[in-house]
Amino acid sequence: MRQSILLLTFCLSRAFAFPWLNPEYPLEDFQHNAKRGLEVIKKDPELVKLIQDLYAEQQQEKADFFNKANCDDEQATLNKRSTTPCLPHPLPDFYPTNITGLMKFPEAAYPYQDPQPTDQRGPCPGLNTLANHGYIPRNGIVTLAQTITGGARLFNMGADLTAFLAGGSVLLAGDIPSMTYSIGGADARTNSLGIVGGSLGTETGLSGHLRFKEGDASGTRCDFYLCNGDNHNLNSSVFLDLQNAAKTYGNGQYNVPAVTQHFAHQYQNSKSKNPYFYFFPQQAALSTGAIYFISGFFTNGTIGAGGVANEASIASFLGAYFAADGSVQYVPEQIPSQGWYRRGYPMFLSEGVDGIISLITGASAILGQPLLFGANTGKAGAFTGSFDLAQFGGPGNYGGTTVNGVACAIEGATYGSFISEFSAILNTATSLLSTVDAAFGSFGCPVPSGVPPQEATAPTYPGYPKPSPCTLNREQNGLDQCAPDTNTYGLFNSHSTPYCLNNPRVAAPLSNPFPVPIVTA
């Protein structure tokens, strides 16, 4: 019934009932009215209440965590975990120094199951893990609400952060009327409007190149144009670089210093080899944020508060299997079966932005390149259009390399992409904008107006993500932008065999630090 009403609204009344949906309506007024005017047709008040209630609970959880005293009295339980049979891995293991009050996983109610051939899996290891354990539908076709509740349960992901990430996924890669998207490739199961939905040509799934969370210089995947469109499977070479960074710069942990070095390597590799390398917001910021999630979410315990980013935990979440010859094979992602403790308080959007700033400014210092943002011009290494993070953050009260500045710039870039995609064929799509907008409420961002200035030159580059990648622009630079591919695994760990303990020791208290951004006014 809801879908029929939405279709009727689109076909009969968009021009006179909602003038901002008319393609002739002035573009500079479109965004403000799309965000504010469609408050009258909010179609999912239950979702809004879910976000608000969960966010309030999580704020209290964070306050409670920092009010508790740090204790070590549960350390003995870690020392008793089984070590045989087990999967070998190269780096030494570490124990968290504080697990008091933390939830331990896996949970019996959410057992691991091998994904089936028709199940969607994609470039986000966290979502793949959620699906493999049933925290979200195992087929990989998920709703915004399911993502919010599943991410909070397993990873303690803040409701504002999840609402933005999942909301953006629906806006730019999924089915807006049903608030559903594929965590992998394009899939007909996300299309609720048939011919009308298909005409939008936007339902690529998360594997769609540069649609939202997927981007170049990934921490675990190969660039779309460097691996013949495979931007969704774990890439062994990329993982081995991450492992080397943990060994060389993280003292054996996949911590923020290690992933920052890894990001610098991946950025330089993509820039020098990928002729269509594209590093503009919002894709660049979000793919960089995903690298921080390796330390921020997959740490055993709480980052910056006694948790450890040890290989046994990280490898399990990323799906890395270590063969005897030193190579890495891809297995389905799962919660570390040897036992893993969820972080003690939620990661809100502000921490995610801190992680983005830390990695980008850190990589800039490592590379001696303050101007990281831009794109190649069709030839490997032919990089131009450079601007730095301060420009990315914009001018004024919410600008510079600050949490507010970068957060508002990400919001503006997201809306800019949305407008360029849908301004001529928009239907009830904009009713979801308020959900994404709500995630940025605490940053005091002004209402975005038009396309951000830093995006003005973006369409001139050959790697720019063109609109309607499933219809009008399906073939771009020789590759299919709307491929139905899901992940392919070399092996399966159906029995959930744990990783071995390698010379386990208690980690130093400051060995897995919280990200500390280099900020400017």
Side-chain angles (χ1 to χ4, degrees):
M1 180 64 181
R2 175 193 291 181
Q3 294 175 7
S4 299
I5 294 172
L6 292 173
L7 183 57
L8 184 65
T9 299
F10 171 71
C11 293
L12 300 180
S13 62
R14 70 173 189 160
F16 60 86
F18 308 112
W20 53 89
L21 302 187
N22 191 317
E24 297 179 0
Y25 195 76
L27 185 58
E28 61 268 22
D29 296 331
F30 165 82
Q31 203 150 22
H32 180 273
N33 287 295
K35 292 176 63 179
R36 308 304 181 206
L38 284 178
E39 292 295 311
V40 298
I41 58 167
K42 280 184 179 177
K43 62 181 179 183
D44 203 338
E46 294 86 0
L47 176 62
V48 175
K49 188 176 188 302
L50 169 67
I51 295 171
Q52 292 173 339
D53 290 349
L54 180 59
Y55 186 73
E57 293 173 8
Q58 291 178 327
Q59 290 283 3
Q60 185 60 51
E61 183 181 2
K62 182 176 182 179
D64 291 344
F65 177 84
F66 286 104
N67 286 332
K68 293 177 182 176
N70 291 334
C71 301
D72 305 304
D73 54 356
E74 295 186 55
Q75 182 62 53
T77 63
L78 285 172
N79 292 317
K80 294 178 181 178
R81 71 188 192 189
S82 174
T83 59
T84 56
C86 61
L87 301 177
H89 66 99
L91 299 187
D93 207 351
F94 299 92
Y95 294 128
T97 58
N98 177 25
I99 58 172
T100 303
L102 304 187
M103 285 187 63
K104 188 177 182 179
F105 294 82
E107 299 180 281
Y110 298 94
Y112 167 82
Q113 293 179 14
D114 291 336
Q116 300 303 302
T118 59
D119 293 341
Q120 285 289 352
R121 298 295 184 268
C124 178
L127 286 172
N128 294 342
T129 302
L130 288 172
N132 289 338
H133 282 270
Y135 287 94
I136 59 177
R138 293 183 185 271
N139 64 5
I141 307 300
V142 303
T143 67
L144 182 58
Q146 289 165 343
T147 309
I148 291 171
T149 55
R153 177 70 184 183
L154 177 56
F155 293 118
N156 220 343
M157 180 179 278
D160 60 340
L161 177 59
T162 320
F164 169 60
L165 294 177
S169 300
V170 171
L171 283 172
L172 295 170
D175 183 67
I176 296 160
S178 64
M179 295 192 186
T180 301
Y181 66 98
S182 163
I183 68 173
D187 195 301
R189 289 173 289 183
T190 67
N191 187 350
S192 67
L193 291 181
I195 295 175
V196 174
S199 69
L200 298 177
T202 58
E203 296 184 23
T204 63
L206 292 190
S207 295
H209 182 45
L210 299 176
R211 294 302 297 167
F212 188 63
K213 290 192 287 186
E214 186 278 342
D216 294 332
S218 164
T220 58
R221 269 62 179 169
C222 184
D223 285 5
F224 182 77
Y225 288 114
L226 286 180
C227 288
N228 196 34
D230 184 3
N231 58 351
H232 45 92
N233 289 298
L234 176 72
N235 183 272
S236 59
S237 296
V238 175
F239 179 85
L240 287 172
D241 183 82
L242 172 62
Q243 182 190 66
N244 184 64
K247 180 179 180 180
T248 306
Y249 303 102
N251 195 27
Q253 291 197 50
Y254 292 67
N255 53 22
V256 170
V259 299
T260 302
Q261 289 282 345
H262 174 59
F263 167 59
H265 298 163
Q266 291 307 111
Y267 174 90
Q268 194 64 24
N269 180 70
S270 295
K271 181 180 173 181
S272 63
K273 296 180 180 179
N274 182 354
Y276 306 112
F277 176 62
Y278 182 89
F279 204 73
F280 274 77
Q282 83 276 345
Q283 295 88 352
L286 296 178
S287 61
T288 304
I291 299 176
Y292 168 64
F293 289 172
I294 294 172
S295 305
F297 280 127
F298 300 157
T299 281
N300 189 357
T302 308
I303 183 174
V308 290
N310 56 326
E311 186 169 77
S313 297
I314 304 300
S316 186
F317 281 118
L318 296 184
Y321 171 83
F322 303 95
D325 62 1
S327 63
V328 171
Q329 291 180 276
Y330 188 26
V331 298
E333 301 86 345
Q334 62 179 292
I335 300 166
S337 52
Q338 64 268 24
W340 175 81
Y341 291 88
R342 188 186 75 174
R343 56 182 289 150
Y345 64 93
M347 182 194 295
F348 294 112
L349 183 60
S350 57
E351 181 184 334
V353 175
D354 272 342
I356 293 170
I357 299 173
S358 297
L359 265 66
I360 290 178
T361 56
S364 178
I366 291 167
L367 297 171
Q369 299 176 29
L371 305 178
L372 294 184
F373 294 93
N376 281 344
T377 57
K379 181 180 179 181
F383 187 78
T384 187
S386 302
F387 55 91
D388 61 18
L389 191 55
Q391 292 169 288
F392 172 39
N397 295 332
Y398 304 101
T401 313
T402 64
V403 171
N404 282 353
V406 175
C408 294
I410 295 173
E411 181 189 26
T414 301
Y415 282 121
S417 295
F418 181 75
I419 285 178
S420 66
E421 182 77 65
F422 293 104
S423 59
I425 55 173
L426 194 67
N427 60 6
T428 52
T430 48
S431 61
L432 190 55
L433 282 171
S434 58
T435 301
V436 178
D437 188 34
F440 289 86
S442 62
F443 295 99
C445 301
V447 175
S449 178
V451 178
Q454 68 268 24
E455 293 279 348
T457 63
T460 66
Y461 296 98
Y464 174 74
K466 296 179 181 178
S468 300
C470 295
T471 52
L472 301 178
N473 292 293
R474 182 154 188 163
E475 190 82 4
Q476 295 179 37
N477 299 313
L479 290 177
D480 185 355
Q481 298 286 317
C482 192
D485 301 336
T486 185
N487 290 7
T488 53
Y489 298 97
L491 297 169
F492 290 88
N493 187 13
S494 302
H495 298 293
S496 297
T497 305
Y499 284 83
C500 303
L501 293 176
N502 295 339
N503 303 313
R505 61 181 186 271
V506 176
L510 300 180
S511 62
N512 186 23
F514 197 78
V516 180
I518 303 171
V519 299
T520 62

